[in-house]
Amino acid sequence: MAAPPEVTLKDLSGKWVMNKTLSDDTDPILQMQGVNWFLRRAISLATITLTITQYTSPEAPHSTHIDIAQTATGGISGTTEKRTLDWEVRGHKDGIFGEVRGKSRWVGLGELEKGPTEEFLRTGWTDEGGGVVVQSWVESVGGGWTAEQVWGFEEIEGERYHARHVIVRKGDDWKQARLVYDFQKK
């Protein structure tokens, strides 16, 4: 189901299911991140659900927090992400990717780096929010890869969807994927 107009980047709270028909194949980026074939295959067959809670904390009312609990078909728990949109680096032990460091922020599309790979991150978004999107950057500790994501909303086949553009880099190689999510409920 497409995202209703009242659901915006300012409040993504709710349940979202990855739309595998509209999303790109994730296998190339997962392979670059060192995920083994068996787990990549399981991920490709599973329905991935994100339960997102977005809020500001009383201690830092100007910092947005986005907590994401991922589950796979059958309620199998996946990764839990806790992001604070303040561009401060934080460590995290991920069940799939191992030890990582990452940072996230609100950013204008014009502020994103300019280059051949970054064009994918900057394009395709709706005009809502004045061109402000969420940017996330993660570095593997010991895995040799980085992942950059930009989150926003896209119009696809006449419907509005939450999407993420992802670029994973390892050495001189890079892979990209667009992930598209169906809104389920608040």
Side-chain angles (χ1 to χ4, degrees), residues 109 121-127 150-154 163-165:
L109 288 169
L121 296 173
R122 288 192 311 272
T123 58
W125 306 110
T126 63
D127 291 335
V150 173
W151 307 355
F153 285 88
E154 288 189 53
R164 298 177 182 192
H165 292 193

Side-chain angles (χ1 to χ4, degrees), residues 73-139:
T73 307
I76 299 168
S77 292
T79 300
T80 298
E81 303 171 25
K82 294 184 178 286
R83 299 177 189 264
T84 303
L85 305 187
D86 62 4
W87 210 233
E88 295 291 323
V89 176
R90 292 176 177 78
H92 171 70
K93 175 104 173 147
D94 188 279
I96 294 174
F97 303 112
E99 199 71 31
V100 296
R101 289 188 298 252
K103 56 187 178 178
S104 301
R105 67 178 174 171
W106 295 108
V107 65
L109 288 169
E111 296 174 61
L112 293 170
E113 288 187 36
K114 309 244 186 307
T117 58
E118 289 80 6
E119 182 67 21
F120 171 71
L121 296 173
R122 288 192 311 272
T123 58
W125 306 110
T126 63
D127 291 335
E128 63 190 78
V132 174
V133 293
V134 173
Q135 179 187 25
S136 173
W137 181 87
V138 176
E139 173 185 34

Side-chain angles (χ1 to χ4, degrees), residues 5 7 10 14 66 98 106:
V7 176
K10 294 295 183 182
I66 302 176
W106 295 108

